[in-house]
Amino acid sequence: YYYRYGRKLLRLNYIRQAGESVLREKAAAVDPTAIVSTDVKKLIDRMIKTMRSHGDLGIAAPQLGRPLRIITLEITKRHLSYLQAQYRNVVQRDTVPLQVLINPQLKVLDNHKVAEYESCSSIHNCMAKVPRYTTVEVSALDRHGNRINYIADGWLSRILQHEVDHLDGLLYVDKMLSKTFAKV
Amino acid sequence: YYYRYGRKLLRLNYIRQAGESVLREKAAAVDPTAIVSTDVKKLIDRMIKTMRSHGDLGIAAPQLGRPLRIITLEITKRHLSYLQAQYRNVVQRDTVPLQVLINPQLKVLDNHKVAEYESCSSIHNCMAKVPRYTTVEVSALDRHGNRINYIADGWLSRILQHEVDHLDGLLYVDKMLSKTFAKV
Ligand SMILES: [Zn+2]
Ligand SMILES: [Zn+2]
């Protein structure tokens, strides 16, 4: 899959698009002893670079063609001002420094869901409202193999659910409110 | 909504894209006395021209921004060779000459559904499998106000269901098998 219009957007090439089977697989757990391997390090660096070049809030390894349970995310000041201006249903007060989460597991802490627009670099030029749990607890390993554990709400909770879905072969179109689906 | 890449594709401008409210309205029946009005005639001519310029099998008036119950469709030799090469689940042996259907009503004759890939010019660059009834009976008025009535199967049945859905404010994303959704 590639884009024809302009040199810059050819980078989108590196993000797998809906319809490619790797996005529908259940990704494999990373062996903790392999976390510091060159292969995994390089993959993580490529994920961070790609996420930032797209201005995305998060990315999952299958989006780069690798069915491994790794996600990265960050909410910068720039993201935050956009989120605060565009969205009223989800509160996000703070920036979130870059996180690398390996073998992440989510526990829903509040069964209440809220629907808000999401987009995904693997479904280029589209968006839709997706109901997500407001509060989740995440447990994962960081890129050095240390245990991370915290509670997330706001956009952070939404991003975590979106990215962990990628690891289970799910895309937001599986959960969206279809009448809100829009081309952008 | 418009496209930036190239003069030719600016014509896509004329097709309303998912997210625009006219695609989600219930379209109004055409007053039979208005069928021969200049307004309706011009709209129908524009529908046929747009459908053909996109190579589409069908189009509905709301896709041109007009919430009226009018659809046009045709299956040319060129469409047919494409359909026969790409699809195995839906049989379509014959071409279908241009049809203009005003205030169409469908009656399902066979409750069996079959899923096949559909695309829609209002959801540019995407496709998904959509279950549709195999056989429907359509009743409508033609562009001269004469009653049309026939039984359709194969792709013709699928196109009729897709286009009449547009008149009811529905898009294929409301009925698709979401795991088959793909960018093209
Ligand atoms: Zn995504
Ligand atoms: Zn359509």
Side-chain angles (χ1 to χ4, degrees):
Chain A
Y1 195 90
Y2 72 104
Y3 293 78
R4 292 169 193 278
Y5 47 103
R7 176 184 270 247
K8 189 162 176 239
L9 287 173
L10 283 171
R11 281 188 308 195
L12 288 172
N13 193 10
Y14 299 119
I15 302 254
R16 300 304 180 103
Q17 293 296 301
E20 298 193 63
S21 60
V22 68
L23 291 176
R24 290 312 197 164
E25 285 177 39
K26 192 167 167 69
V30 180
D31 178 343
T33 65
I35 289 177
V36 294
S37 68
T38 310
D39 178 50
V40 169
K41 275 186 182 169
K42 277 192 173 166
L43 173 59
I44 291 169
D45 289 342
R46 195 154 65 88
M47 287 172 65
I48 295 167
K49 200 174 158 187
T50 308
M51 174 179 75
R52 287 177 167 167
S53 78
H54 283 78
D56 287 342
L57 296 156
I59 197 169
Q63 294 183 276
L64 296 184
R66 296 292 301 276
L68 286 172
R69 302 188 79 81
I70 307 174
I71 67 177
T72 71
L73 61 88
E74 79 182 327
I75 302 178
T76 64
K77 272 195 179 171
R78 186 175 204 158
H79 288 140
L80 202 61
S81 69
Y82 172 80
L83 293 172
Q84 286 168 341
Q86 296 288 314
Y87 300 100
R88 301 276 165 243
N89 291 338
V90 183
V91 176
Q92 177 74 37
R93 286 190 190 81
D94 304 311
T95 58
V96 175
L98 178 65
Q99 292 183 16
V100 177
L101 301 178
I102 297 165
N103 302 339
Q105 291 193 294
L106 298 186
K107 193 174 141 190
V108 176
L109 294 190
D110 179 348
N111 267 312
H112 181 62
K113 286 185 182 180
V114 85
E116 202 37 271
Y117 280 100
E118 289 183 19
S119 60
C120 177
S121 289
S122 292
I123 305 176
H124 189 53
N125 280 345
C126 300
M127 64 179 187
K129 280 193 174 183
V130 184
R132 300 282 188 191
Y133 297 110
T134 51
T135 312
V136 296
E137 181 174 357
V138 61
S139 175
L141 299 175
D142 71 11
R143 65 182 306 177
H144 311 291
N146 300 318
R147 175 66 50 187
I148 305 174
N149 194 281
Y150 67 88
I151 291 170
D153 60 9
W155 274 90
L156 184 53
S157 171
R158 178 170 294 273
I159 298 163
L160 285 164
Q161 292 169 74
H162 178 118
E163 302 308 337
V164 171
D165 271 357
H166 274 302
L167 306 184
D168 294 328
L170 296 173
L171 298 174
Y172 77 74
V173 291
D174 303 324
K175 298 182 170 180
M176 70 180 176
L177 306 177
S178 70
K179 304 231 166 141
T180 66
F181 182 81
K183 297 291 292 179
V184 287
Chain B
Y1 194 91
Y2 72 104
Y3 293 78
R4 290 169 194 278
Y5 46 105
R7 175 185 271 249
K8 189 164 176 235
L9 287 172
L10 283 172
R11 282 187 308 194
L12 289 171
N13 192 9
Y14 298 118
I15 303 254
R16 301 304 180 104
Q17 293 297 301
E20 297 192 63
S21 60
V22 68
L23 292 176
R24 292 310 198 165
E25 284 177 41
K26 193 168 168 66
V30 180
D31 179 342
T33 64
I35 290 176
V36 294
S37 68
T38 309
D39 177 50
V40 169
K41 274 186 183 169
K42 277 192 174 166
L43 172 59
I44 290 169
D45 289 342
R46 195 154 65 89
M47 288 172 66
I48 295 167
K49 200 174 157 187
T50 309
M51 174 179 74
R52 288 178 168 166
S53 77
H54 284 77
D56 287 342
L57 296 155
I59 198 169
Q63 294 182 276
L64 295 184
R66 295 292 300 277
L68 286 172
R69 301 188 80 80
I70 307 174
I71 66 177
T72 70
L73 61 89
E74 78 183 327
I75 302 179
T76 63
K77 273 194 181 174
R78 187 176 203 156
H79 289 139
L80 202 60
S81 69
Y82 172 79
L83 293 172
Q84 286 168 342
Q86 296 288 314
Y87 300 100
R88 301 277 165 240
N89 290 339
V90 183
V91 176
Q92 177 74 37
R93 286 191 191 80
D94 304 312
T95 57
V96 175
L98 177 66
Q99 292 182 15
V100 176
L101 301 178
I102 297 165
N103 303 339
Q105 291 194 294
L106 298 186
K107 193 175 142 190
V108 175
L109 294 190
D110 179 350
N111 267 311
H112 181 63
K113 285 185 183 180
V114 87
E116 202 36 272
Y117 280 101
E118 288 183 20
S119 60
C120 178
S121 288
S122 292
I123 305 175
H124 189 53
N125 281 345
C126 300
M127 64 177 188
K129 279 193 175 182
V130 184
R132 299 283 188 191
Y133 298 110
T134 50
T135 312
V136 296
E137 181 173 356
V138 60
S139 175
L141 299 176
D142 71 11
R143 66 182 306 178
H144 311 291
N146 300 318
R147 175 66 51 187
I148 305 173
N149 194 280
Y150 66 88
I151 291 170
D153 59 11
W155 274 90
L156 184 55
S157 170
R158 177 169 295 272
I159 298 162
L160 285 164
Q161 291 169 73
H162 178 118
E163 301 308 336
V164 171
D165 272 357
H166 274 301
L167 306 183
D168 293 329
L170 296 172
L171 298 174
Y172 77 73
V173 292
D174 303 323
K175 298 183 171 181
M176 70 179 176
L177 306 176
S178 69
K179 304 229 165 142
T180 67
F181 182 80
K183 297 290 292 180
V184 287

